[in-house]
Amino acid sequence: MAKSLQEIQDMLTDKWSNNACRGYIIKAMESCGYKSKDIRKVLMELYEVFDFCSVEEAAAYYEHWQS
């Protein structure tokens, strides 16, 4: 799938990474007292979500979650 010039530029300047997202989730879950096995379960599900949901879709989901 060919990427537009804008998509390529965005990738070069954006600090987003899946691993950064995973780190945020781990830190938040640890702060809330979740056990390692529960965090691992969420992270495994996250791998699948990353595969089937774009960044834009995820942002829209968050913005409309429980609204």
Side-chain angles (χ1 to χ4, degrees):
M1 180 159 89
K3 297 208 180 287
S4 71
L5 179 58
Q6 184 61 48
E7 287 175 314
I8 293 169
Q9 288 173 332
D10 290 345
M11 287 171 48
L12 294 174
T13 58
D14 195 358
K15 294 187 186 236
W16 168 266
S17 78
N18 290 354
N19 282 344
C21 182
R22 289 180 189 102
Y24 283 123
I25 290 168
I26 291 167
K27 288 178 75 64
M29 292 183 76
E30 285 177 341
S31 293
C32 290
Y34 283 88
K35 293 181 171 36
S36 293
K37 78 174 184 90
D38 296 322
I39 295 172
R40 282 189 190 91
K41 185 175 180 179
V42 169
L43 291 176
M44 291 306 298
E45 182 64 24
L46 190 60
Y47 277 102
E48 187 157 330
V49 172
F50 281 151
D51 287 343
F52 296 104
C53 185
S54 70
V55 173
E56 295 80 15
E57 290 171 319
Y61 190 87
Y62 168 75
E63 291 162 8
H64 297 101
W65 182 69
Q66 293 192 353
S67 58

